[in-house]
Amino acid sequence: MASVATKPLRAAAGLYRQLAAHLNARLARHRHPSPRSTPRVPPPAEHRRTRTHPYRRAAGLVVVTLLGGWLGLLVVGNVRTPVGPVDTTMTLRPSLTGGTKVNVSPLGALELRSHTAPLRLDVDVDQLDPERSAALINHPERIEGLDDEIGQDVQAGALDLGLRSAVAVLTGSCALALAVYRRPGTALRAGGLSLALLVASAGTAAATWNPKSVLEPRFSGLLASAPQVVGNARSIATEFDVYQKELARLVTNVTKLYDATSTLPAYQPDPSTTRVLHVSDIHLNPAAWHIVRSLVEQYDIDVIIDSGDTMDHGTAAENGFLDPITGLGAPYVWVRGNHDSAATQKAVEELAGKDGAQVHVLDSGKPVNVAGLRLAGWGDPQFTPDRSVAPEGDPAERDRGRRLAASLRAQRAAGTPVDIAVGHNPVLAEQTDGLVPLALAGHTHNRKTRVLPHDTRLMTQGSTGGSGLRAVEGDEPDKVQASVLYLDRDTDRLQAWDAITLGGLGLSKAEVSRHLPEEVKPGAPPSPSLSPSPSSTSPSSPSPSSSSSRSSGVSPPSPSSSKPTGNSPATGR
């Protein structure tokens, strides 16, 4: 009976427990919601993890590789090796243009356009071997075999430097990549990339290797050292084995500069060349005369050609500025510029009339013979010293240029062709194309050389006076520019020229670049002659200079010429 009565109670208790368990489960879900049933709240920005773009990872690896390779080159990427009589340190450096730089401290640096690659070869001249240098200087006959020795030294040093640089680049890039990424695999990839870049750079350098670059060096340093380091422009058209021979010549010049006496050797110019100093646009800068005189002495100049604008306003009060011309140490040939007046030209002609003065004025196409060269020119038809005078423009220049061309044709028909035509404005000088091998001009204050359509080379000179007083109008003074032209004494053809650039305020340091015409580079066929040169048939008068290699007198008139060829003063415009 009791058992029957308790059955409903037990059923009710079980139902209560089930209900309580269900309620507890609902409360638990409310207190701890399921991830599936609630929206996901993004974490704060500082806790987010962003994935790096593949291109950024690759760029970062490249930067680390390049930086590591550069650090490796800085630490161990150099070798010490003898080159002939000098002990040198060779180093590879990253560069956008490539080339080779020879540091001859404290005299300056010599740059060669030897190759185009992202690596530059730096060669530091450390010291001379006393015994080897003394033997070379005291026994010049040993220079004959020096080219082979230097060639072998350079090849051995370059091979050693290449191997050492490869190890340095590989080690540096791997070490830096391991330090940055802390992953051996990434470090190995950086090493492989650096090795590939080094091989590509070496291949580019080999493909663009130019052994003739030693014929056209660029020297930056003391002006007094430039002629000795750059040397002469002799036999450059016949030296086919140029690399070793010219490299030996450069090393020999450096050796002379480092002689035990620590004094610069005397420059001995080649007697087979005529050396012409081309200046222009002095613009009343008195420092220009000191520069010209220094270049005449250092290069043993045979004749100075001034393509005008010696003055600034062409007034009679400025004529005293011309007095130093007679003491420059070489014959002086002048043509009128647009800042030179008729009074200026008359003052130059008066200097030419003095006893012993070797001053010549070019105008109206009348030729003169100086230092074995036949020269003709035409003064600038425009006198525009300031903005108050309206210029006539290029038509006036072309008109006078055509008149000069007519005079050159007459000279050629008479059998006395002109070697060099001179005009102040390049527009005037352009009209002589095909009638002379070489034409000289100024006016633009911007040095430029180009070959005209009919094979006349037009050389436009920068300002030898640094633009005169106008130089102080800008933030920096204009540079002082001049050129030394080397002409064959037999053919009167241009062999080479040195472009000289001085700082506007510092005249002790210079940049001298050697240039060669394409037609006279080793291995190039000779260019056709525009006209036969009279220099080989017209003997020059004896030179009053004490130097046996100098010819600064005025040549006598040619028998076939009906016009005087000495000092031919012009009468103005």
Side-chain angles (χ1 to χ4, degrees):
M1 184 78 180
S3 61
V4 174
T6 59
K7 284 182 178 181
L9 295 177
R10 287 197 298 269
L15 183 61
Y16 175 77
R17 285 194 297 270
Q18 290 178 2
L19 180 61
H22 178 70
L23 291 176
N24 288 334
R26 293 288 302 270
L27 290 175
R29 285 196 299 270
H30 178 72
R31 294 175 182 175
H32 304 285
S34 173
R36 297 180 181 178
S37 61
T38 57
R40 186 174 182 178
V41 180
E46 59 269 17
H47 296 297
R48 296 177 185 172
R49 291 185 178 181
T50 59
R51 297 182 62 184
T52 305
H53 197 279
Y55 290 145
R56 293 184 180 180
R57 291 200 302 268
L61 182 61
V62 171
V63 171
V64 170
T65 300
L66 293 176
L67 182 59
W70 178 66
L71 293 175
L73 285 177
L74 287 180
V75 176
V76 294
N78 60 78
V79 296
R80 292 179 61 89
T81 181
V83 177
V86 297
D87 295 328
T88 67
T89 300
M90 295 185 178
T91 310
L92 283 180
R93 290 282 183 261
S95 172
L96 296 177
T97 58
T100 300
K101 185 176 182 179
V102 182
N103 297 304
V104 193
S105 180
L107 302 174
L110 199 67
E111 298 182 25
L112 307 175
R113 293 176 293 181
S114 57
H115 62 278
T116 302
L119 291 176
R120 185 186 71 194
L121 174 62
D122 285 358
V123 181
D124 296 327
V125 178
D126 298 328
Q127 63 181 1
L128 284 179
D129 183 277
E131 295 182 0
R132 287 181 290 167
S133 60
L136 179 62
I137 295 175
N138 297 330
H139 302 281
E141 66 276 4
R142 298 188 181 182
I143 299 178
E144 295 297 330
L146 187 64
D147 50 358
D148 293 330
E149 177 186 347
I150 289 178
Q152 294 173 2
D153 291 342
V154 171
Q155 291 176 3
L159 180 60
D160 190 8
L161 178 63
L163 295 176
R164 185 183 292 265
S165 299
V167 174
V169 168
L170 185 62
T171 304
S173 58
C174 288
L176 185 61
L178 186 61
V180 172
Y181 295 102
R182 300 182 183 277
R183 296 176 181 176
T186 304
L188 291 177
R189 286 196 295 271
L193 178 60
S194 66
L195 191 59
L197 292 175
L198 187 61
V199 171
S201 300
T204 304
T208 59
W209 173 246
N210 179 24
K212 299 174 185 177
S213 62
V214 292
L215 294 173
E216 298 182 285
R218 170 178 293 179
F219 175 78
S220 302
L222 297 176
L223 176 61
S225 307
Q228 287 82 359
V229 175
V230 176
N232 284 306
R234 185 175 187 269
S235 302
I236 56 178
T238 58
E239 296 289 350
F240 295 98
D241 189 13
V242 292
Y243 178 67
Q244 292 184 356
K245 292 182 182 296
E246 290 300 311
L247 189 61
R249 179 185 61 80
L250 291 178
V251 172
T252 303
N253 292 341
V254 172
T255 302
K256 292 179 180 179
L257 291 177
Y258 271 88
D259 197 1
T261 59
S262 297
T263 58
L264 294 177
Y267 177 61
Q268 299 176 354
D270 176 22
S272 69
T273 59
T274 300
R275 294 163 300 284
V276 177
L277 177 61
H278 182 201
V279 300
S280 188
D281 296 87
I282 292 177
H283 286 290
L284 283 180
N285 187 347
W289 298 131
H290 300 284
I291 297 170
V292 171
R293 188 180 298 109
S294 175
L295 292 173
V296 168
E297 294 175 354
Q298 293 175 35
Y299 285 87
D300 200 8
I301 295 298
D302 294 308
V303 57
I304 306 166
I305 298 180
D306 185 346
S307 51
D309 269 7
T310 310
M311 300 303 195
D312 216 10
H313 291 84
T315 62
E318 297 173 338
N319 290 344
F321 177 73
L322 302 171
D323 292 341
I325 288 177
T326 57
L328 294 177
Y332 184 85
V333 180
W334 181 85
V335 72
R336 186 180 66 249
N338 63 298
H339 283 258
D340 304 319
S341 64
T344 303
Q345 181 161 318
K346 184 178 180 180
V348 179
E349 293 169 356
E350 291 176 354
L351 292 178
K354 293 184 178 180
D355 293 338
Q358 301 183 61
V359 180
H360 309 269
V361 175
L362 299 180
D363 200 5
S364 302
K366 296 179 180 179
V368 298
N369 283 5
V370 186
L373 298 171
R374 192 166 178 84
L375 315 172
W378 203 292
D380 198 291
Q382 306 181 78
F383 177 55
T384 56
D386 50 46
R387 297 179 181 177
S388 64
V389 180
E392 299 178 36
D394 291 348
E397 301 291 343
R398 293 191 182 95
D399 176 70
R400 299 309 190 276
R402 286 191 287 267
R403 297 185 188 184
L404 175 58
S407 176
L408 297 177
R409 290 190 187 94
Q411 290 295 317
R412 186 168 62 177
T416 56
V418 172
D419 299 310
I420 302 177
V422 186
H424 176 66
N425 195 313
V427 176
L428 187 153
E430 286 175 356
Q431 309 308 310
T432 65
D433 184 20
L435 299 172
V436 288
L438 181 63
L440 304 181
H443 184 63
T444 62
H445 296 202
N446 182 26
R447 182 163 51 202
K448 184 178 180 180
T449 298
R450 58 195 177 102
V451 178
L452 300 177
H454 298 288
D455 295 332
T456 292
R457 182 178 295 274
L458 175 60
M459 304 186 75
T460 303
Q461 187 58 264
S463 175
T464 309
S467 299
L469 296 177
R470 296 173 178 81
V472 300
E473 295 178 355
D475 297 334
E476 296 182 0
D478 289 351
K479 294 181 179 180
V480 175
Q481 296 181 331
S483 298
V484 176
L485 315 181
Y486 301 91
L487 287 83
D488 186 89
R489 200 173 286 271
D490 295 328
T491 64
D492 292 334
R493 292 309 179 96
L494 185 67
Q495 285 187 317
W497 71 93
D498 291 342
I500 301 172
T501 303
L502 306 178
L505 294 178
L507 303 181
S508 61
K509 293 187 177 181
E511 180 183 280
V512 180
S513 302
R514 168 67 52 80
H515 302 275
L516 305 181
E518 293 77 5
E519 63 268 17
V520 299
K521 287 187 177 181
S527 61
S529 175
L530 291 174
S531 58
S533 173
S535 60
S536 59
T537 59
S538 300
S540 300
S541 60
S543 170
S545 173
S546 58
S547 173
S548 60
S549 63
R550 185 123 170 207
S551 175
S552 57
V554 179
S555 299
S558 172
S560 59
S561 176
S562 60
K563 294 183 180 182
T565 57
N567 182 19
S568 303
T571 58
R573 293 182 293 171

